[in-house]
Amino acid sequence: SSSSSSSNSESPIKKDHAQKIVHVEPCVTIGQLTHYLNPLGYTLPVVPEMDDLTIGGLINGTGIESSSHTHGLFHEIVTEVEICLGDGTVVIASPDKDNEYRDLFYAIPWSYGTIGLLLSAKLKLIKCKEYVKLTYLPFYDKEEYIQELRSLSGEFLINEDDGGQEEKKKDDMPLSSSSSSKEVPMFLEGLVYSKNEAVIMKGEFISKKDIPKKGTINRLSMWYKPWFYKYVQSKLEINKRLSSASAAAAAASASSKSILEQREKAFVEYIPLRDYYHRHTQSLFWEMELMIPIGNHPVFRYLLGWLMPPKVSFLKISQTEMTRQLVEKTHVAQDFLVPTRKMSDFLTTCDEQFDRIYPLWLCLHNHTSMPGSILKDPLGVKDEMYIDIGVYGLPRCVHEKREDEFDMKRSMRAVVEDLKKMNGFQMLYADVFNTREEFEEMFDHDGYRMIRKKYKADTGAFKEVYDKMSVVL
């Protein structure tokens, strides 16, 4: 048979082998989908981190992962959506030029359910292998790690055939000599630990049979393993130690073979695919450190690591009102997307306005035009590489018990003002600190409102996006 389902004909997941697509209902989670697909040798081109994220939420909202520099945001792996309109009509929308509802298809992402009700969707599939070969690249200079990320992402190859490349290079740094080839890794992300220290990670699918005999296999999902971001941070110190040993060996004219072997073992690992997909899950990136400060202690991990992480929904309902207010005033949880040519400036803004919150998550995505969506198009080109800068945690002054020195509203409004000037935008799962007018300066509402009117979403059936946000003024 050319198709299969996870259980029976009524399954919310149906896969078409021939066309390499999977047909899913909106309440299917990423965890359910990857558990179903990976043993069959398939995966989604973009697999967001958390198991509990639903397909419907990722399409109506957005999703990003370390493969987004080549595959875009989550909605860009969608090939078809089934939508119930405001008047009860059910339609099928796709990007095909002869599809009557093509404009509706492009308007659904980032609409947050304000245009129609998503009933099902078809998603692209790609072949995968059992492991990811992950290479860690430590950096101690801000401009160097930015340069490496941009060149590894394939950014300088975008639009090279349509004349857009020459225009984009005006603001670009030269390509790094280490990664100027056209080989772009499947996975790419960065973790920033201070103003100048970062570790860039690049990964590729690899079969178990192709892993070298001396290769290091790291099963990240084991309950006793260190939190991933802490483990990655250790690469900075290991690199310094090995660099010093290498310099000493060179000065003594000694063989550096053993040092090279240590470097290979320390900075190249082979990680099971699902372990890689959920590398940040155990510690919820680094948010668990705020809730359970001893959570990364070896004894805690060994005895209670299997309990991690608690469900986000449980954490929300178990908050007291005092805790909620304290979190609202001091805890930053935001994702900002800016063109990579503005990345250095925006990192400086975040460092200053959020008083040195680290680590930061860096994840690139290829931003393309989406007519009818609230997302603004790239400036002057068809595609442009953007960077998602994830800021999660407490400012330094809060850690040091000087909470009164941090004003969340003032800082957020200053950051968002800079973001708008850079043609950037924030992810809307988080609190919004803009008035309606300011929100519409960041997000394009002209085409969006035309689509709402055309498909009868403005008759009271659906609110506008801003009305569904968590607005803090």
Side-chain angles (χ1 to χ4, degrees):
S1 172
S2 64
S3 65
S4 65
S5 67
S6 60
S7 58
N8 55 51
S9 61
E10 299 302 318
S11 169
I13 304 174
K14 293 190 175 80
K15 177 178 169 295
D16 188 318
H17 292 270
Q19 295 188 28
K20 291 185 179 178
I21 60 170
V22 62
H23 192 183
V24 296
E25 293 179 7
C27 288
V28 171
T29 67
I30 282 291
Q32 291 169 333
L33 200 48
T34 53
H35 270 106
Y36 168 59
L37 291 172
N38 292 168
L40 302 176
Y42 286 92
T43 190
L44 300 176
V46 179
V47 180
E49 174 71 26
M50 303 300 174
D51 262 356
D52 290 341
L53 296 174
T54 64
I55 301 304
L58 291 166
I59 294 174
N60 280 313
T62 192
I64 190 170
E65 245 307 321
S66 57
S67 56
S68 290
H69 61 292
T70 53
H71 294 285
L73 296 175
F74 187 84
H75 63 260
E76 293 176 75
I77 69 170
V78 180
T79 63
E80 181 182 288
V81 289
E82 182 184 12
I83 301 290
C84 178
L85 302 178
D87 63 357
T89 306
V90 175
V91 301
I92 303 293
S94 79
D96 298 338
K97 291 184 178 179
D98 59 352
N99 184 273
E100 182 182 353
Y101 304 101
R102 187 168 183 253
D103 56 350
L104 178 64
F105 176 85
Y106 287 111
I108 290 298
W110 288 77
S111 69
Y112 290 84
T114 63
I115 293 176
L117 182 65
L118 180 67
L119 302 179
S120 69
K122 292 182 179 179
L123 313 175
K124 296 176 189 174
L125 296 177
I126 57 173
K127 296 283 284 182
C128 65
K129 297 178 181 178
E130 312 98 295
Y131 284 79
V132 171
K133 178 184 178 182
L134 193 65
T135 303
Y136 301 89
L137 305 170
F139 286 87
Y140 308 92
D141 180 85
K142 177 184 176 184
E143 299 306 324
E144 286 184 7
Y145 75 70
I146 289 175
Q147 182 178 341
E148 185 74 2
L149 261 179
R150 295 182 70 185
S151 48
L152 279 172
S153 74
E155 171 184 353
F156 304 107
L157 309 177
I158 296 173
N159 289 334
E160 67 178 0
D161 298 324
D162 63 9
Q165 183 68 12
E166 183 177 350
E167 179 181 349
K168 287 178 63 182
K169 281 190 175 178
K170 292 176 184 176
D171 291 315
D172 288 338
M173 297 170 290
L175 288 171
S176 70
S177 58
S178 63
S179 56
S180 58
S181 75
K182 291 194 176 185
E183 292 184 10
V184 177
M186 174 67 188
F187 304 106
L188 181 64
E189 72 175 326
L191 295 181
V192 182
Y193 292 96
S194 69
K195 204 166 187 176
N196 287 301
E197 290 187 321
V199 179
I200 305 304
M201 290 159 279
K202 61 178 183 176
E204 298 285 0
F205 289 129
I206 187 170
S207 296
K208 186 176 183 180
K209 63 181 177 60
D210 295 326
I211 297 175
K213 288 184 178 180
K214 292 186 177 180
T216 302
I217 293 178
N218 188 356
R219 301 186 185 279
L220 294 174
S221 65
M222 299 302 288
W223 77 95
Y224 54 82
K225 288 284 187 174
W227 288 349
F228 184 65
Y229 78 97
K230 287 288 192 184
Y231 176 70
V232 174
Q233 187 175 17
S234 71
K235 303 298 181 184
L236 290 162
E237 288 304 316
I238 292 171
N239 186 59
K240 287 180 181 177
R241 177 171 53 78
L242 292 177
S243 295
S244 297
S246 181
S253 300
S255 171
S256 60
K257 183 179 178 181
S258 64
I259 297 171
L260 291 174
E261 289 176 352
Q262 289 179 58
R263 185 174 291 279
E264 176 74 13
K265 189 175 181 65
F267 298 114
V268 179
E269 293 181 339
Y270 301 88
I271 301 171
L273 180 58
R274 272 192 55 80
D275 289 40
Y276 174 78
Y277 280 151
H278 300 290
R279 62 202 177 281
H280 294 296
T281 298
Q282 190 177 27
S283 58
L284 296 178
F285 285 83
W286 31 94
E287 296 283 55
M288 287 311 304
E289 186 173 23
L290 299 176
M291 303 170 200
I292 307 176
I294 62 169
N296 195 46
H297 190 282
V299 174
F300 181 95
R301 292 201 314 262
Y302 188 77
L303 295 177
L304 298 171
W306 56 274
L307 287 170
M308 305 294 283
K311 292 283 187 181
V312 174
S313 55
F314 170 76
L315 294 174
K316 287 182 178 179
I317 64 172
S318 61
Q319 273 188 340
T320 64
E321 180 61 21
M322 186 176 71
T323 304
R324 189 194 64 76
Q325 289 181 10
L326 183 64
V327 166
E328 188 176 285
K329 290 178 181 177
T330 62
H331 179 254
V332 179
Q334 296 280 346
D335 282 80
F336 304 105
L337 297 101
V338 294
T340 49
R341 56 191 166 82
K342 298 293 187 181
M343 178 179 171
S344 182
D345 292 341
F346 195 74
L347 283 169
T348 298
T349 294
C350 289
D351 182 79
E352 293 172 353
Q353 293 296 339
F354 295 133
D355 192 17
R356 295 166 291 168
I357 290 180
Y358 291 100
L360 302 175
W361 187 50
L362 304 181
C363 188
L364 299 112
H365 89 274
N366 184 19
H367 180 43
T368 57
S369 175
M370 288 174 52
S373 162
I374 65 171
L375 281 191
K376 288 186 176 179
D377 293 341
L379 286 177
V381 288
K382 183 178 69 175
D383 294 357
E384 183 171 13
M385 194 64 71
Y386 271 52
I387 184 85
D388 175 7
I389 300 175
V391 185
Y392 324 123
L394 300 177
R396 180 67 58 87
C397 62
V398 176
H399 278 293
E400 295 173 355
K401 311 299 182 187
R402 296 179 285 111
E403 295 90 345
D404 292 344
E405 295 179 21
F406 181 66
D407 185 330
M408 176 73 83
K409 292 181 183 179
R410 182 196 60 78
S411 293
M412 271 300 302
R413 288 183 63 79
V415 168
V416 169
E417 193 59 35
D418 276 2
L419 192 64
K420 289 189 293 186
K421 292 175 183 175
M422 297 176 185
N423 203 45
F425 44 93
Q426 70 176 115
M427 285 197 180
L428 298 178
Y429 71 86
D431 289 343
V432 171
F433 291 77
N434 297 341
T435 64
R436 186 182 297 272
E437 292 73 22
E438 291 167 336
F439 186 78
E440 293 183 19
E441 290 174 10
M442 184 183 298
F443 294 103
D444 185 3
H445 280 60
D446 293 341
Y448 164 72
R449 285 185 175 134
M450 288 174 62
I451 293 290
R452 274 176 53 85
K453 183 175 181 180
K454 179 178 178 180
Y455 292 106
K456 302 178 178 63
D458 63 349
T459 58
F462 301 101
K463 298 178 179 180
E464 282 203 351
V465 171
Y466 184 80
D467 298 312
K468 296 188 73 173
M469 298 298 102
S470 174
V471 179
V472 181
L473 293 175

